[in-house]
Amino acid sequence: MLRETIRALAESKIAPFAAAVDEESRFPQEALDALVASDLHAVHVPEEYGGAGADALATVIVIEEVARVCASSSLIPAVNKLGSLPVILSGSEELKAKYLGPLAKGDAMFSYALSEPDAGSDAAGMKTKAVRDGDFWVLNGVKRWITNAGVSDFYTVMAVTDPAKRSKGISAFVVEKSDEGVSFGAPEKKLGIKGSPTREVYLDNVRIPADRMIGEEGTGFATAMKTLDHTRITIAAQALGIAQGALDYAKGYVQERKQFGKPIADFQGIQFMLADMAMKIEAARQLTYAAAAKSERGDADLTFQGAAAKCFASDVAMEVTTDAVQLLGGYGYTRDYPVERMMRDAKITQIYEGTNQVQRIVMARNLP
Ligand SMILES: Cc1cc2nc3c(=O)[nH]c(=O)nc-3n(C[C@H](O)[C@H](O)[C@H](O)COP(=O)(O)OP(=O)(O)OC[C@H]3O[C@@H](n4cnc5c(N)ncnc54)[C@H](O)[C@@H]3O)c2cc1C
């Protein structure tokens, strides 16, 4: 039922704008409005804080179905979970009550600010600092590549509170867009997901109350990594949706397109490509849904499974979307058809929330 609901909404209210959002590199406001109107913008927020209380698998299905028509729009439910999960996992009751309610209502979005210009894969090498000053913390630094920066009202920001302790000297905070000293860089000019704003976040003497710290001092990096264990599965879902969208489009096209006097779908070479694409997508789907169940239960092997799902599904998305372009021939290479956008959008799923090289490091350290 959930899949039917979100697919109908995605096809009627999000798909019609996907090409324009990409072409104009603009925020998919229509998608946000439609998702908020149907209470599907942040389904993971627990019921006690006014949310829909969807489990990890339901959240994955929402993201998958939105990504099937518009990858940029799928970052609305995905990053709302990424940004707010540190608060849900480690925040005080006061923080949860204050920040999850507006998110659930659709009054605010949440972003996640871990990466910096010189700290990507080596996120613990961050330089952003938070210094205690009485009942306040004062934050200074630059966060880079922050999805939905400028649009979101709330930011989970990781900052160094004790430089001597490296990853154990990092703490997490909620920063608000309206806090004095917060500003944003120009939107990045990207290959894909052009509708999802990616900007730097500048923190210039941002003074926030001490109770905005998420969890204990020094636990921010652990919270950030625990968050990714759960949310990499949402990137797998995004990859899966992009791949399914490309297959669905290509499947229809090959039945219409005629060469040598018959639909190209009649050629076995084409059929084998479609069979491989569908087989890979189904394998990615099973891995992703199994990982979502592990996320919900908090299984001990979640770290491996989340990394495996993200890595596998994103590699599948890149292969399948590239094959979809091939199946459309020269037409596939143009912006008159959606598959070249899907191919460009697929690429990011191999890069963010840890590159696929980093996923392999994570898997190797947590072999089942
Ligand atoms: C569009 C977009 C949106 C993003 N959104 C967010 C966000 O909302 N919040 C956030 O905090 N971050 C975000 N990121 C940042 C993203 O997570 C990082 O870009 C990513 O982790 C890689 O870091 P990097 O770009 O610094 O690459 P680098 O770490 O410099 O990596 C460069 C290359 O070296 C490889 N490499 C690095 N270390 C190793 C190693 N030990 N072994 C093998 N290979 C290695 C990498 O795999 C990669 O191929 C986003 C990035 C993009 C592009």
Side-chain angles (χ1 to χ4, degrees), residues 156-180:
T156 288
V157 173
M158 270 53 75
V160 177
T161 43
D162 185 347
K165 293 191 182 155
R166 207 171 138 84
S167 69
K168 293 205 167 70
I170 291 170
S171 305
F173 301 87
V174 179
V175 171
E176 299 183 17
K177 179 176 159 175
S178 58
D179 288 330
E180 211 179 312

Side-chain angles (χ1 to χ4, degrees), residues 79 82 112-117 119-122 144-147 190 193 198 348 351-358 361:
V79 175
L82 173 68
Y112 177 91
L114 176 69
S115 306
E116 296 187 1
S121 299
D122 181 14
R144 194 176 170 90
W145 312 116
I146 307 310
T147 298
K190 306 193 299 288
I193 55 160
T198 315
I348 192 60
I351 295 173
Y352 57 18
E353 295 206 24
T355 65
N356 281 3
Q357 283 80 14
V358 166
I361 296 171

Side-chain angles (χ1 to χ4, degrees), residues 110-144:
F110 232 117
S111 287
Y112 177 91
L114 176 69
S115 306
E116 296 187 1
D118 294 321
S121 299
D122 181 14
M126 69 178 64
K127 295 194 185 106
T128 295
K129 271 200 188 112
V131 177
R132 183 98 193 203
D133 180 16
D135 286 341
F136 294 85
W137 286 93
V138 181
L139 276 69
N140 276 288
V142 178
K143 291 293 174 182
R144 194 176 170 90

